[in-house]
Amino acid sequence: MQLTRHTDYALRLLIYLAGIGDQRAQIAAVAEAQAISRTHLMKIANELARAGFIDATRGRGGGIRLARPPGEINLGAVIRAMEPPCPMVDCTSCRLVRRCSLPGVLDQASSAFRAVLERYSLADIVRERGTLLAA
């Protein structure tokens, strides 16, 4: 199992925001701190805002912050919102499809992976405030 870079950056953004509490962050500052393209991070922030994970305010004094406490942001929900649906294997042209149960096994593995993520919140993976930004 491997998450896309897009989802990786979304998780980094959420962890960063959890680390600064109720303060608003600027996309440019987060992009620089995480060595991520500002443009790419802006797209990710927009998706996270549409999904209800972050609050984005434009203009002077604006910025982004978590829309709810880290304990209420489920990692499984974040992954579902950010990852495109994608089967692990494409069996359309395989001649073994009638004799093979690999897709079913991989579906079970994927379900188990997502079930573990469902058990954790953003709060579960964030270090104490202050130690995150120095790391």
Side-chain angles (χ1 to χ4, degrees):
M1 302 294 311
Q2 183 174 359
L3 299 176
T4 61
R5 183 169 291 154
H6 190 76
T7 301
D8 175 28
Y9 290 170
L11 291 169
R12 289 186 200 192
L13 177 57
L14 292 172
I15 292 167
Y16 183 98
L17 294 175
I20 62 171
D22 287 335
Q23 298 175 14
R24 289 196 178 273
Q26 305 301 315
I27 292 286
V30 178
E32 184 176 331
Q34 294 296 314
I36 300 171
S37 157
R38 184 179 167 274
T39 304
H40 193 151
L41 196 58
M42 182 70 77
K43 291 175 187 175
I44 291 167
N46 285 333
E47 280 187 55
L48 289 170
R50 279 193 303 275
F53 298 114
I54 66 172
D55 173 48
T57 304
R58 293 179 178 239
R60 189 176 193 119
I64 56 174
R65 66 178 174 199
L66 294 179
R68 48 188 190 256
E72 295 178 16
I73 297 176
N74 181 271
L75 294 182
V78 173
I79 302 302
R80 279 193 313 275
M82 302 306 292
E83 280 291 307
C86 172
M88 292 185 73
V89 291
D90 177 14
C91 300
T92 54
S93 64
C94 181
R95 294 180 182 189
L96 300 173
V97 72
R98 291 187 179 156
R99 298 185 289 163
C100 179
S101 58
L102 180 62
V105 171
L106 294 176
D107 286 344
Q108 287 180 39
S110 179
S111 294
F113 174 76
R114 292 179 188 273
V116 169
L117 292 170
E118 294 291 334
R119 295 194 316 244
Y120 294 93
S121 72
L122 182 59
D124 294 325
I125 63 168
V126 175
R127 296 185 205 147
E128 284 187 39
R129 189 175 178 169
T131 61
L132 176 65
L133 298 178

